[in-house]
Amino acid sequence: MDVIWFLVLSAFIFVIGAAGVLTRRNPLVVLLCLELMLNAGNLALIAFSRMHGNEAGQVFALIVMVIAACEVVIGLGIIVAMYRNRLPIDVDEMSELRG
Amino acid sequence: MWFQQVLFFIAGAGALAGALGVVMLRNPFYSVLALVAHLIALAVLFLLLYAEFLAVGQVVVYAGAVMVLYLFVVAYIGGADEPLGPEHGALRTLGPLFAAALGIELCIAFIASGLSALDSRGAELEPGFGSPGGIGQLLLTRFLVAFEAASFLLLLAAVGAIVLARRRRGLEEEGPTVGPPRDRGPAASETETLEVRV
């Protein structure tokens, strides 16, 4: 199985995620699209790890998964705080961070 | 070998379909479910790349725990369809334009054969490649600093989430109520008005 196919697939997933981040307005969906981009990066890291026969790439992917979990926790916390303060759940309306 | 290729194309099509579903579906609830399908297809791809530990972690941690967290928040906020508010001219047109530019750029990178320089067959693998034992040994020896930093980052994120999401009760009860009453359904608002009368 060629490793190149995995890289092409990862690039397509990354582009789809980036398009979602750029076009969607619901912050929840923007976070989901960020997950897509991080997962595309993970797939590329693991493909390179397979190519070189070196497990370090898989450790990188594991650390990326940890970062993604942190990002989800903080992002969802911000969204819940927006909902509590009755702010619009829309990234175009939210242009300042003043509590 | 043909079995691996068939599996790759099935899982790859599933991953692409899930990713498209996340972006295209209007209801955030269905977007989360599409992401779950995408993550499971991606776990199959990880298995094809001999990353067994990461595939299991992907299914258990991502498709299990993180997605349940998303579903809770979608249910809490009320996963309404995306509002069709006033269109913001520049952003509406520039967003898809940049996305298309990024896609075209990556396609050029493929076609211009930046990838053909790679050794596509892959190296010979030792037995036990990608097993929990090997990854754990790397994490505790060569990548110990990154491992500790990641654990500290998780702690920071947990504390930050608590600070962000707590109710600021003490501050609200001191002064006069500021802003409109919160929407907690008819029953909750009734009890609130009763409290105010008392």
Side-chain angles (χ1 to χ4, degrees), chain A residues 2-3 9 11 15 23-24 26 31 35-36 39 46 50-51 55 58 62 67-68 73 79 84 86 92, chain B residues 23 25 28 39 45 54 58 62 70 76-77 82 92 106 110 119-121 123 130 135 153 161 165 182-183:
Chain A
D2 270 4
V3 175
L9 180 68
V15 169
T23 55
R24 293 301 295 257
N26 191 332
L31 276 181
E35 296 285 319
L36 281 183
N39 273 310
I46 293 176
R50 165 77 185 83
M51 195 175 90
E55 278 170 326
Q58 298 189 10
L62 200 63
I67 305 290
V73 165
I79 292 174
R84 286 252 174 83
R86 303 186 62 79
D92 286 353
Chain B
V23 178
L25 290 173
L39 292 175
L45 291 176
L54 279 180
Q58 178 97 351
Y62 249 119
Y70 265 111
Y76 180 68
I77 292 182
E82 204 154 292
R92 288 301 92 193
L106 279 172
F110 297 144
D119 175 23
S120 63
R121 281 285 138 202
I135 291 191
L153 189 66
R182 284 149 200 266
D183 187 13

Side-chain angles (χ1 to χ4, degrees), chain B residues 24-115:
Chain B
M24 299 275 181
L25 290 173
R26 299 184 61 82
N27 192 330
F29 195 79
Y30 294 136
S31 288
V32 175
L33 294 184
L35 189 64
V36 172
H38 167 81
L39 292 175
I40 290 174
L42 219 56
V44 174
L45 291 176
F46 288 177
L47 277 182
L48 281 177
L49 288 168
Y50 299 95
E52 290 102 1
F53 177 64
L54 279 180
V56 172
Q58 178 97 351
V59 171
V60 172
V61 175
Y62 249 119
V66 174
M67 288 303 117
V68 168
L69 193 63
Y70 265 111
L71 282 182
F72 269 126
V73 173
V74 171
Y76 180 68
I77 292 182
D81 287 353
E82 204 154 292
L84 293 173
E87 298 281 319
H88 301 270
L91 282 180
R92 288 301 92 193
T93 54
L94 278 183
L97 209 65
F98 275 118
L102 185 60
I104 291 169
E105 191 180 354
L106 279 172
C107 285
I108 289 173
F110 297 144
I111 294 167
S113 75
L115 288 177

Side-chain angles (χ1 to χ4, degrees), chain A residues 9-22:
Chain A
L9 180 68
S10 127
F12 275 122
I13 294 173
F14 186 86
V15 169
I16 292 172
V21 170
L22 287 172

